[in-house]
Amino acid sequence: FFSSNKMLPTAACGPPAWASASASPRAALAAARVPLLRAQASDEDEYLADLEQQLRRAAARSSRSPPAPTAADGPPVRRTGAALPTSREGSQVYALPGKARAAWRSYIGVPGQLLLLSTLSLLVGFYLAGSLSTIFGAAGFWEPVIGLPVLLVGEVVTREYYLRPAERRPVLLKLANALKVGFYLGVVVDAIKLAG
């Protein structure tokens, strides 16, 4: 079988691209790629033509009539129940505050979260004190104007915090008190920096 010296006629199959003596390996690879690329291009052309045909059919249909089911769509979907109400109670936005409250309660209910949030409030208060004293302290005439609202808010938080027993204090009040303590700590540290 292998020993036969019979060759196929060159007109039937032609010499391969790599067989010519003058062809470089790069040219041979390029010549071998051309039929493959032509096959891929024809597949893409068929795909694009099919896609364009589907889009034309969809555009030709009336916007009011439902699309006709095809075998590719799978089993038909049954719509049960009434349409969604257009009232305020039926909208997603209306339910958002209730969902946010439930998520907040479940987040706070996890052990350790209150400690984490209190620590963050303390640090935010410290940062606020530094930024307010830097921004408004640069121009000396703004200090009394900024000091009055900060003092009033701090006193209201202190009053509300200490009027209630410890077990009846809401979480937000505890966080506001931690923010206030961090703010006062930041003001004292800033005053020590300026005095020293």
Side-chain angles (χ1 to χ4, degrees), residues 45-99:
D45 289 341
E46 289 173 14
Y47 172 74
L48 291 175
D50 184 44
L51 183 63
E52 184 177 357
Q53 185 180 23
Q54 289 176 6
L55 289 173
R56 286 179 192 259
R57 273 187 284 173
R61 282 191 221 125
S62 167
S63 63
R64 293 184 181 177
S65 65
T70 62
D73 292 338
V77 177
R78 281 194 240 168
R79 295 181 185 232
T80 58
L84 290 175
T86 57
S87 67
R88 195 174 79 155
E89 290 81 14
S91 69
Q92 292 284 333
V93 176
Y94 182 75
L96 192 61
K99 289 180 181 178

Side-chain angles (χ1 to χ4, degrees), residues 165-177:
E167 60 274 354
R168 293 194 54 229
R169 291 180 188 143
V171 174
L172 288 177
L173 187 60
K174 292 177 184 178
L175 295 178
N177 190 51

Side-chain angles (χ1 to χ4, degrees), residues 7 57 64 66-67 81 85 95 110 116 129 135 137 148 156 165 173-174:
M7 302 268 307
R57 273 187 284 173
R64 293 184 181 177
V110 175
L116 173 71
I135 293 168
L148 183 65
V156 167
L173 187 60
K174 292 177 184 178

Side-chain angles (χ1 to χ4, degrees), residues 5-50:
N5 288 334
K6 293 182 182 176
M7 302 268 307
L8 293 173
T10 56
C13 64
W18 52 268
S20 77
S22 65
S24 69
R26 218 176 247 184
L29 283 174
R33 272 191 193 166
V34 170
L36 179 64
L37 292 175
R38 283 187 185 145
Q40 286 178 349
S42 69
D43 288 344
E44 288 176 2
D45 289 341
E46 289 173 14
Y47 172 74
L48 291 175
D50 184 44

